[in-house]
Structures are given as C-alpha cells and as structure tokens.
Amino acid sequence: MKILFLGCSSFTGFHFVSELSKASKNFIFCILTKKINDYDSIRRQRIHILKKKKNIKFFYNTKFGDKNFLKIVKSNNFNIVCLHHAETSNYNDNKKFKYYESIKKNVF
C-alpha cells in the first residue's frame, strides 16, 4: 500500500508512521516542509529514526500544495493520504497567532 503522509515529525505523526511502517506491504512517502537541519532536535531525532526504515521515503523542502508536492501526488498512485500536518505557529498566544495566515497555509 502506498501512503502519502504529512506531519511525520510531530509526536503523534511519528508514532502513526512508525506503526504503519511495521507492515512491510506499506510504503510511506513522508513530506517535510524544511531541510533536515532546520528541524529542532526532537523532531530531527524522530526523522532520523524513521529514515532507518526501508519502506519510508522522505521529500524535504516540500509544502502542501506547492509544485513539488503536486508532482509527487501526480507521479504516484497513493492508496491513502494522511494530512496530519498543520501550520500552528504561536497557536497558544492569541496576540501572536495569525489565524488567517494559518488558514491560508493549511488549505493552499
């Protein structure tokens, strides 16, 4: 089964991908929005753990809806798409959180 997964560096995303990868019939394409060194330490650690698995492939510097993302979607016949990623910068601070910017990025 071919699975497209966004959000694998988060706590829950990491665990979802880890579990999905246990079935050798699953091949998981993980989309990451940044270069590997741009992730903080815990997220980078999660990515490195997942990179060790043979049935996981990563795409870096790819954002939901951008040209590279659309190319990946068009060139693969995914059975499942998991949209676990969301733009939530400063979500816990009402003065700093940019609601409309977040919506725009999440539905691009």
Side-chain angles (χ1 to χ4, degrees):
M1 189 173 303
K2 287 175 90 174
I3 302 167
L4 178 63
F5 199 98
L6 285 77
C8 70
S9 68
S10 71
F11 176 80
T12 53
F14 168 78
H15 288 286
F16 285 141
V17 172
S18 292
E19 287 300 312
L20 289 167
S21 71
K22 288 179 181 177
S24 60
K25 66 179 181 176
N26 290 338
F27 192 78
I28 306 152
F29 291 70
C30 293
I31 304 293
L32 295 169
T33 59
K34 305 180 239 181
K35 297 175 187 172
I36 187 70
N37 291 332
D38 292 335
Y39 284 89
D40 64 27
S41 59
I42 188 67
R43 289 178 181 265
R44 191 176 320 132
Q45 285 178 329
R46 293 178 190 137
I47 294 165
H48 282 299
I49 291 168
L50 294 175
K51 281 175 64 173
K52 294 177 183 176
K53 300 183 184 247
K54 293 179 182 178
N55 59 340
I56 299 175
K57 182 176 182 176
F58 287 90
F59 294 91
Y60 300 95
N61 257 0
T62 302
K63 293 181 173 62
F64 176 71
D66 71 10
K67 287 181 183 181
N68 198 37
F69 178 85
L70 294 175
K71 181 180 174 185
I72 293 164
V73 170
K74 287 178 184 178
S75 62
N76 292 279
N77 189 19
F78 293 109
N79 302 100
I80 297 173
V81 176
C82 300
L83 301 174
H84 188 66
H85 172 268
E87 173 60 42
T88 57
S89 298
N90 298 312
Y91 73 93
N92 57 351
D93 185 334
N94 287 338
K95 292 180 182 178
K96 291 183 181 177
F97 182 63
K98 297 178 179 162
Y99 176 78
Y100 292 107
E101 185 176 319
S102 177
I103 293 293
K104 182 179 175 183
K105 288 181 180 178
N106 289 324
V107 298
F108 179 68

